Amino acid sequence: SHHLGGDQMRDIAAAIILGLCGSVYGADTEDNFTAKQDQTIVTVAAVFSVFSFIGSSFIVFMYLRHPKLRSLMFRLVVWISVSDIISSLGLLFGNPSDGSGACYAQAVLTQLFQIASMLWTVAVALVVQMVWSKSRTLAQLDADYWKIHAVVWGSKLMECMSKLDLRLDDNNDDSDNDDDGDINVSDGDDDGDDSSASGAR
């Protein structure tokens, strides 16, 4: 059979759930670092991002340069490298101000591609496990290669869209609350004016 079995599908689903939960619980957390400490963290992240970018770019370069490396396992490793390259670019944005375009771009790049890198690593582990246990052959897994893409990118895109929708809803709620506050202030002023007018009479 060229289709993923029930056990393999459960393994993939569990990996996706762990990835999604990790990104959700890691988001929107506040810290108590000083400005100097924040700058140190940003600098260290940028330095390691450069190393990650260089190393991952070398892997992609060697894959493109040598056709013999274009097997299923190397393709999976290359997609880990591609995800690392793009997430590294996101971290090189530094520490942009909240609500800016750079902040949203950094959030999308890091959230989407860091967890995608983890999911591609899980895919490598699952492929190795299936081949080692002889439950699937590399040829069978190669036929399902597009399904791995669908699971990795589809799950992360849906998560990013859901977070964006929640953020827009929060902004709309804040806007409505501000409008309500203006109305209450206005009503209070009107009541005050009415009282003053009654006193004058």
Side-chain angles (χ1 to χ4, degrees):
S1 172
H2 292 278
H3 298 287
L4 293 175
D7 292 338
Q8 286 77 23
M9 290 300 296
R10 281 193 294 272
D11 291 340
I12 293 173
I16 293 171
I17 292 172
L18 288 174
L20 296 180
C21 290
S23 62
V24 169
Y25 287 113
D28 299 330
T29 56
E30 297 182 358
D31 61 66
N32 296 317
F33 295 116
T34 64
K36 184 177 181 180
Q37 290 171 331
D38 281 334
Q39 186 57 45
T40 301
I41 294 172
V42 170
T43 302
V44 171
V47 170
F48 282 99
S49 295
V50 170
F51 284 116
S52 178
F53 180 88
I54 294 173
S56 298
S57 298
F58 179 75
I59 292 174
V60 174
F61 171 76
M62 294 301 292
Y63 174 83
L64 296 175
R65 181 177 176 84
H66 299 286
K68 291 183 179 180
L69 297 178
R70 298 176 189 177
S71 63
L72 173 63
M73 294 303 299
F74 276 105
R75 286 203 301 273
L76 298 177
V77 172
V78 163
W79 280 110
I80 296 175
S81 300
V82 170
S83 300
D84 288 339
I85 289 171
I86 300 176
S87 66
S88 297
L89 292 176
L91 292 174
L92 291 176
F93 277 78
N95 189 20
S97 58
D98 291 341
S100 64
C103 179
Y104 282 111
Q106 183 184 62
V108 171
L109 291 177
T110 55
Q111 285 289 313
L112 178 60
F113 290 97
Q114 284 182 350
I115 306 301
S117 176
M118 187 207 72
L119 293 177
W120 280 112
T121 305
V122 172
V124 171
L126 289 175
V127 168
V128 171
Q129 187 273 333
M130 291 178 199
V131 173
W132 179 80
S133 64
K134 298 182 180 180
S135 60
R136 304 291 301 282
T137 65
L138 278 175
Q140 291 174 331
L141 291 168
D142 202 2
D144 288 326
Y145 175 65
W146 67 272
K147 295 181 181 179
I148 302 176
H149 274 284
V151 169
V152 173
W153 300 119
S155 61
K156 291 309 300 176
L157 284 174
M158 286 189 293
E159 184 200 358
C160 285
M161 293 301 295
S162 64
K163 286 186 176 181
L164 178 60
D165 184 60
L166 290 174
R167 180 59 61 89
L168 292 175
D169 288 342
D170 289 340
N171 291 338
N172 291 334
D173 291 341
D174 292 339
S175 177
D176 293 339
N177 290 335
D178 291 340
D179 292 341
D180 293 341
D182 294 340
I183 292 173
N184 291 334
V185 171
S186 176
D187 291 343
D189 292 340
D190 291 343
D191 292 342
D193 292 340
D194 292 342
S195 299
S196 300
S198 298
R201 286 196 296 270

